[in-house]
Amino acid sequence: QVQLVESGGGLVQAGDSLRLSCATSGLTFSSTAMGWFRQAPGKEREIVAAISWSGAITSYEDSVKGRFTITRDNAKNTVYLQMNNLKPEDTAVYHCAASTRYYGTTMRDYDYWGQGTQVTVSS
């Protein structure tokens, strides 16, 4: 059974940092692309960052470039999202997702989803 469990969300002030973690099980993690998505109230879910199997390829949504960093630890079956200089518009539920593809940049590329962790940024 595949499980993805996010942690690390919370309530912070603008300019603060958070690190989200997504622990996985039931996957061959080293052969799984990973992504972070977010969904704000009343908005569609959007991809924030993605990383390939090996970590050699990463991509970011334009509004988070230079502030967010996605990394993975294949020994721990965990993917991370370091979020710096947070802004109120980053407020959303953040979900991690896993793909059996080498790399994925759209929701359709992903096969498994976590329940999400709330990130709230106050101004």
Side-chain angles (χ1 to χ4, degrees), residues 67-84:
R67 299 188 297 122
F68 290 11
T69 304
I70 187 171
T71 57
R72 64 189 296 155
D73 186 336
N74 286 355
K76 295 183 178 180
N77 295 340
T78 300
V79 64
Y80 305 95
L81 185 68
Q82 177 67 42
M83 305 187 295
N84 297 330

Side-chain angles (χ1 to χ4, degrees), residues 22-42:
C22 174
T24 73
S25 60
L27 294 167
T28 305
F29 187 74
S30 59
S31 300
T32 303
M34 299 297 298
W36 284 98
F37 291 75
R38 67 185 178 187
Q39 187 164 18

